[in-house]
Amino acid sequence: MSVLNPPPDALLARLEARLGPRGFTRDEDDMAPWLTDWRGRYHGRAAALVSPASAADVREVVTACAQAGVGIVPQGGNSSMVGGATPPAQGGVLLLSLRRMNAIRTVSAEDNVLVAEAGAILTHVHEAAAAAGRRFPLTLGAKGSATVGGLVSTNAGGTQVLRFGPMRSLVAGLEAVLPDGSLYEGLSALRKDNRGYDLKQLLIGAEGTLGIVTAASLRLFPAAASRSVAWCGVATPSAALALLRFLEDRTGPAVESFELVPRRALDLVLAYVPGTRPPLAAPASWNVLVEAVDAALEPPLVEAAEAGLLGDAALAVSEAQAEAFWRLRDSISEAERHSGPALKHDISVPVAAMPAFMESAAAAVEQRFPGTRVIAFGHLGDGNVHFTVGAPPEADGAVWLESEALAVSAFVYGEVGAAGGSISAEHGIGQMKREALAATVSPVRLAAQRAIKQALDPKGIMNPGKLLPG
Amino acid sequence: MSVLNPPPDALLARLEARLGPRGFTRDEDDMAPWLTDWRGRYHGRAAALVSPASAADVREVVTACAQAGVGIVPQGGNSSMVGGATPPAQGGVLLLSLRRMNAIRTVSAEDNVLVAEAGAILTHVHEAAAAAGRRFPLTLGAKGSATVGGLVSTNAGGTQVLRFGPMRSLVAGLEAVLPDGSLYEGLSALRKDNRGYDLKQLLIGAEGTLGIVTAASLRLFPAAASRSVAWCGVATPSAALALLRFLEDRTGPAVESFELVPRRALDLVLAYVPGTRPPLAAPASWNVLVEAVDAALEPPLVEAAEAGLLGDAALAVSEAQAEAFWRLRDSISEAERHSGPALKHDISVPVAAMPAFMESAAAAVEQRFPGTRVIAFGHLGDGNVHFTVGAPPEADGAVWLESEALAVSAFVYGEVGAAGGSISAEHGIGQMKREALAATVSPVRLAAQRAIKQALDPKGIMNPGKLLPG
């Protein structure tokens, strides 16, 4: 990729004049919160923080940077898990925040479409859809800070992918500023549009390396009237998958979440997270949290129990109990933190291969790295689990992480590759997984990706140092 | 785009030796059926017809052509509506048929995935899914000849898009030979995979201009136990859309088809298609054919009638009656042919804009071109109608088509553009709409498409003369 230039003073002065004091700062204190990722793992520098108020502002910034060969790092809610929105450590780039562009432009219940600017926060999208009697189904833990632009650019997943798919399935149109400063006006929400290569599909998941998403048309669905939530004990991951298929056959698409929790993870939550209590009278080896919308889970669960597909089960009889079940699932990451240093992996394999993978890969890791403890949990129905390798209890955590991280992750990714899987299911590549990407995907795929990057961003100004290996 | 060479004799001899008599022919009679599109509008020539039996064969052909700068036209069921699979009139290319590669490689009910080679016919995919207790939902009129490769490459639509989306929503993975002869191995069906730019998304709808799809992983769904089909009379297209939203609110995603038929179209069918009879006792200005799967339409339709959302309605009480209703819808094109020459347009606009568009655009066309009669019908719920402009009854049809076609279509596309729509909803661009594409999409979109083509097929060998304007 081309060599970038630090922004010349004249360019900075021009942008400062255009964007005004709310839209331009070089103050270190003002910039500081946005130069480190929220997990505190990546630290970057930037020549300035620019905060455009409109797509026209964004065009101005990008056009100037394209001419001068200056790098731009777009940032939304700064909630990347892979350092995708943190500038390079050496600086010399502009950090471009979309947070001022946070309008919900339109909501159409008749069209089932909501148009939001890139900086709109997911929670606000949920609220705007609900106010129109509709529902935007994608949700995730960071919903209070994650922005539409970031969700689009990372093809975000979350807990409702089983039914509604990831962000890619929910984006009906995009507006974006391309690396040459031109404006791609593709907000028109067409259910069918076969006019050649779909640029929108490239921008989704491109992590800001092909342009800056400035607004998105999002698909809405009928509001959900009720949900049914149950906690089930099963013997194995295979039994869990069989239960999922059984429930889907009985309820059609009503099952929206199907989360697998091993006993180890539940025990950690019960030990470390205050106010939690066991969901079942007798602990099960594996647990499933299932949620169905506008359909009752009781009849199919009774039938499944009679067919021997599950052990104990508890059906939430109140919204409070449903929330308590979800809290057990959502507290796993927090509980893991209390239990010591660990390496996390966000991986996917084909759904049917996941049960065997969870058991065989965990065993292989624990054998290869004695003393480690694997906890794999999450979105079984999507073939996506969070695969955590805990440091041996007797090891110094920081030292272990430093010395073993690369080897452990490479081993995990090798197992993933052997199962036809992906080293990044929903978090993206960012700066964290660039080298792992190079090591694990085929040269054909990598060459095609590089050719696309070169074609659309020949100067390499968009989010330099992210996604594609150096 | 680069200048292509006719295939040298040495290349032809090498491919003949590799592919054998079943896989290679230069016989004019053998080639003839595949050199004209099924509607008989486009006629092409080819130096040879090659029919590879494997992806390795396809690689051999593409590699040889890439080295020699020879054009390749991929073809599946030859059922393109836009001449997308017909070689150029001047010939000098290879016609590459995927029909020998017609295996269903695997069907996994547990994974809800079926892997089919590019030449597998849609009907066979339906049957293979059903045999595993599953369902592949996409269907269309040409299902007995359309192939998986063609369906992928045109991002095909059909009658179940309302619920399941077009082909893009149903492709879980692809295998393809890229323009340099390399093999993209992306069949692994991952529900979540965020490893950068998704090449699969570019190949879907690329009409064979970025590579040759050799196999696809397709998503399956639970088999449908029953369907409920009704024919409803409504006053206006707006009333039809209100009825759709009402039914969706009551039945969730069960409504899979919602087809709008104007009285004019129904009258043509009843006049020209033997064995049809009126579905309602009293003719309605507008008609809706609605199908719900695994949900009863009677209760919500009764409720809708009480709310004044529809006039008469007939609920099919037998599969024979349901088929008769569908036959009325599916016979419109045939009836139109009997009623004289006409220009067809496959267009889309945002769903909420469609009712007004159907009335205003039809009126505008009939005013601008006196004597013409517009019939717009089809997939209202997708914002996609087939917009047919019939020649004035007193005109000589052939002469009228010859003299007015460009002006009429340009006018229709102008109305579509003003409504934020697409000149190709589901049929693609092929060779028919290349110039219309150039005239109607933004320079930004076109420049990005050209850059992508140049990046992945720098010699321009893949399906020359299709999709991108010359």
Side-chain angles (χ1 to χ4, degrees):
Chain A
M1 209 51 68
S2 330
V3 176
L4 297 175
N5 304 312
D9 289 342
L11 184 151
L12 293 172
R14 175 173 147 201
L15 294 181
E16 184 167 17
R18 160 96 192 200
L19 299 171
R22 286 191 61 204
F24 185 96
T25 183
R26 303 190 68 184
D27 182 276
E28 293 293 340
D29 289 341
D30 289 348
M31 293 200 289
W34 317 112
L35 294 173
T36 293
D37 75 309
W38 73 280
R39 294 172 75 188
R41 300 184 54 166
Y42 296 95
H43 308 281
R45 298 175 61 200
L49 168 63
V50 297
S51 305
S54 66
D57 280 353
V58 177
R59 292 192 63 186
E60 184 84 9
V61 175
V62 175
T63 302
C65 288
Q67 284 163 359
V70 171
I72 305 171
V73 176
Q75 190 180 82
N78 196 22
S79 53
S80 172
M81 303 288 279
V82 290
T86 305
Q90 71 271 24
V93 301
L94 295 186
L95 179 59
L96 188 152
S97 168
L98 279 306
R99 278 178 294 273
R100 279 178 77 196
M101 294 179 60
N102 61 3
I104 306 288
R105 288 191 193 162
T106 58
V107 186
S108 165
E110 201 174 24
D111 231 355
N112 279 326
V113 170
L114 177 154
V115 178
E117 290 187 340
I121 288 170
L122 180 54
T123 299
H124 297 159
V125 171
H126 289 157
E127 291 165 357
R134 291 290 184 267
R135 172 184 183 209
F136 181 66
L138 187 137
T139 189
L140 36 69
K143 63 187 174 188
S145 56
T147 59
V148 166
L151 294 164
V152 171
S153 297
T154 60
N155 185 28
T159 50
Q160 318 298 118
V161 172
L162 191 60
R163 173 162 173 186
F164 294 99
M167 203 64 186
R168 191 182 295 284
S169 305
L170 300 170
V171 174
L174 284 185
E175 177 190 273
V177 175
L178 301 185
D180 64 357
S182 62
L183 185 67
Y184 174 73
E185 297 174 286
L187 281 178
S188 198
L190 302 173
R191 287 281 289 161
K192 291 181 175 173
D193 181 15
N194 279 346
R195 289 179 291 173
Y197 320 143
D198 192 347
L199 192 56
K200 171 179 75 216
Q201 300 295 342
L202 274 182
L203 291 165
I204 296 169
E207 304 185 14
T209 63
L210 297 179
I212 298 176
V213 171
T214 51
S217 298
L218 303 176
R219 292 181 61 200
L220 303 181
F221 293 82
S226 67
R227 66 172 177 172
S228 179
V229 174
W231 191 279
C232 311
V234 294
T236 62
S238 291
L241 185 56
L243 176 61
L244 171 60
R245 295 304 180 224
F246 182 90
L247 294 176
E248 286 179 334
D249 283 344
R250 292 301 183 282
T251 68
V255 177
E256 295 198 357
S257 299
F258 195 88
E259 300 285 310
L260 185 63
V261 179
R263 179 170 178 176
R264 263 187 200 174
L266 179 60
D267 286 347
L268 282 184
V269 170
L270 297 173
Y272 291 110
V273 181
T276 55
R277 56 196 184 89
L280 301 176
S285 302
W286 294 87
N287 303 266
V288 165
L289 173 61
V290 55
E291 175 170 313
V293 166
D294 292 343
L297 279 173
E298 190 180 358
L301 282 177
V302 167
E303 209 185 330
E306 285 166 359
L309 284 168
L310 73 160
D312 286 354
L315 199 71
V317 293
S318 67
E319 193 52 25
Q321 194 179 2
E323 283 296 331
F325 286 168
W326 268 108
R327 186 158 174 245
L328 294 174
R329 158 65 184 86
D330 289 338
S331 300
I332 296 174
S333 291
E334 180 191 340
E336 282 182 332
R337 266 200 300 276
H338 289 290
S339 77
L343 276 166
K344 292 167 179 252
H345 307 85
D346 160 49
I347 53 145
S348 63
V349 301
V351 179
M354 184 52 92
F357 176 87
M358 289 178 76
E359 301 194 298
S360 69
V365 168
E366 291 177 356
Q367 181 174 21
R368 172 71 183 72
F369 300 95
T372 58
R373 279 167 58 95
V374 171
I375 292 183
F377 68 95
H379 321 295
L380 179 69
D382 307 329
N384 168 211
V385 293
H386 301 295
F387 192 98
T388 306
V389 182
E394 71 282 5
D396 178 314
V399 172
W400 182 83
L401 279 178
E402 184 73 30
S403 65
E404 297 292 318
L406 281 177
V408 170
S409 292
F411 188 85
V412 171
Y413 294 152
E415 296 285 311
V416 169
S422 169
I423 66 162
S424 180
E426 56 180 6
H427 295 166
I429 301 299
Q431 48 188 304
M432 182 192 282
K433 294 188 177 178
R434 286 170 80 205
E435 302 316 320
L437 183 73
T440 56
V441 305
S442 74
V444 172
R445 185 189 277 242
L446 212 53
Q449 292 191 339
R450 285 191 203 280
I452 292 164
K453 170 74 173 176
Q454 177 67 25
L456 296 178
D457 182 20
K459 294 186 175 176
I461 64 168
M462 293 307 313
N463 211 4
K466 310 294 165 33
L467 210 173
L468 286 170
Chain B
M1 209 50 68
S2 329
V3 176
L4 297 174
N5 304 311
D9 289 343
L11 183 152
L12 293 172
R14 177 174 145 201
L15 294 181
E16 183 167 19
R18 161 93 191 203
L19 299 170
R22 284 191 62 204
F24 185 96
T25 183
R26 305 190 68 182
D27 183 276
E28 293 292 340
D29 290 342
D30 289 349
M31 293 200 289
W34 316 112
L35 294 174
T36 294
D37 75 308
W38 73 282
R39 293 173 76 187
R41 299 184 54 167
Y42 296 95
H43 308 281
R45 299 174 63 201
L49 168 63
V50 297
S51 305
S54 66
D57 280 353
V58 176
R59 294 191 63 186
E60 184 85 9
V61 175
V62 175
T63 302
C65 288
Q67 284 163 359
V70 171
I72 306 171
V73 177
Q75 191 179 82
N78 195 23
S79 53
S80 171
M81 304 288 279
V82 291
T86 306
Q90 71 273 24
V93 300
L94 294 185
L95 179 59
L96 188 152
S97 169
L98 278 306
R99 278 178 293 273
R100 280 178 78 196
M101 294 180 58
N102 60 4
I104 307 287
R105 287 190 192 161
T106 58
V107 186
S108 165
E110 201 175 24
D111 232 354
N112 278 326
V113 170
L114 177 154
V115 178
E117 290 186 340
I121 288 171
L122 180 54
T123 298
H124 297 157
V125 171
H126 289 156
E127 291 165 357
R134 290 290 184 266
R135 171 183 183 209
F136 181 66
L138 186 138
T139 190
L140 36 69
K143 64 186 174 188
S145 57
T147 60
V148 166
L151 294 164
V152 170
S153 296
T154 59
N155 185 27
T159 51
Q160 318 297 119
V161 172
L162 191 60
R163 174 162 174 187
F164 294 99
M167 203 66 186
R168 190 182 297 282
S169 305
L170 301 169
V171 174
L174 284 185
E175 176 190 273
V177 175
L178 302 185
D180 64 356
S182 63
L183 186 67
Y184 174 73
E185 297 175 286
L187 280 178
S188 199
L190 302 173
R191 287 281 288 162
K192 290 181 176 173
D193 180 15
N194 279 345
R195 288 179 292 172
Y197 322 142
D198 191 348
L199 192 56
K200 172 178 74 215
Q201 300 296 342
L202 273 183
L203 291 165
I204 296 169
E207 305 186 15
T209 64
L210 297 179
I212 298 176
V213 171
T214 52
S217 297
L218 304 177
R219 292 181 62 201
L220 303 181
F221 293 82
S226 67
R227 66 171 176 173
S228 179
V229 175
W231 192 279
C232 311
V234 294
T236 61
S238 291
L241 185 57
L243 176 61
L244 171 61
R245 296 303 180 225
F246 182 90
L247 295 176
E248 285 178 335
D249 283 344
R250 292 301 184 281
T251 68
V255 177
E256 294 197 359
S257 298
F258 196 88
E259 300 284 312
L260 185 62
V261 179
R263 179 169 178 176
R264 263 187 200 174
L266 180 59
D267 286 348
L268 282 184
V269 169
L270 297 174
Y272 290 110
V273 181
T276 55
R277 57 195 184 89
L280 301 176
S285 301
W286 293 87
N287 302 265
V288 164
L289 173 61
V290 55
E291 176 170 312
V293 166
D294 292 344
L297 279 173
E298 190 181 355
L301 283 177
V302 167
E303 209 185 330
E306 284 166 0
L309 285 169
L310 73 161
D312 286 353
L315 199 71
V317 293
S318 67
E319 194 51 27
Q321 194 179 2
E323 284 295 329
F325 287 168
W326 268 108
R327 187 158 174 245
L328 294 174
R329 159 66 182 86
D330 288 339
S331 300
I332 296 174
S333 292
E334 181 191 339
E336 282 181 332
R337 266 199 301 278
H338 288 291
S339 78
L343 276 166
K344 292 166 179 255
H345 307 86
D346 160 49
I347 53 142
S348 63
V349 301
V351 179
M354 184 52 92
F357 177 87
M358 289 179 77
E359 301 193 299
S360 70
V365 168
E366 291 178 355
Q367 182 175 18
R368 171 71 183 72
F369 300 95
T372 57
R373 278 166 60 95
V374 170
I375 292 183
F377 67 95
H379 321 295
L380 179 69
D382 307 328
N384 168 210
V385 293
H386 301 296
F387 191 98
T388 305
V389 182
E394 69 284 4
D396 179 314
V399 173
W400 182 83
L401 280 179
E402 183 73 30
S403 65
E404 297 292 316
L406 282 178
V408 169
S409 292
F411 187 85
V412 171
Y413 293 151
E415 296 286 311
V416 169
S422 168
I423 65 162
S424 181
E426 57 179 5
H427 294 165
I429 301 298
Q431 48 188 304
M432 181 191 281
K433 294 188 177 177
R434 287 168 81 205
E435 302 316 320
L437 183 74
T440 56
V441 304
S442 75
V444 172
R445 185 190 278 241
L446 211 53
Q449 292 192 339
R450 286 191 203 278
I452 292 163
K453 171 74 173 176
Q454 177 68 24
L456 296 178
D457 182 19
K459 294 186 176 177
I461 65 169
M462 293 308 313
N463 210 4
K466 310 291 165 35
L467 210 173
L468 286 170

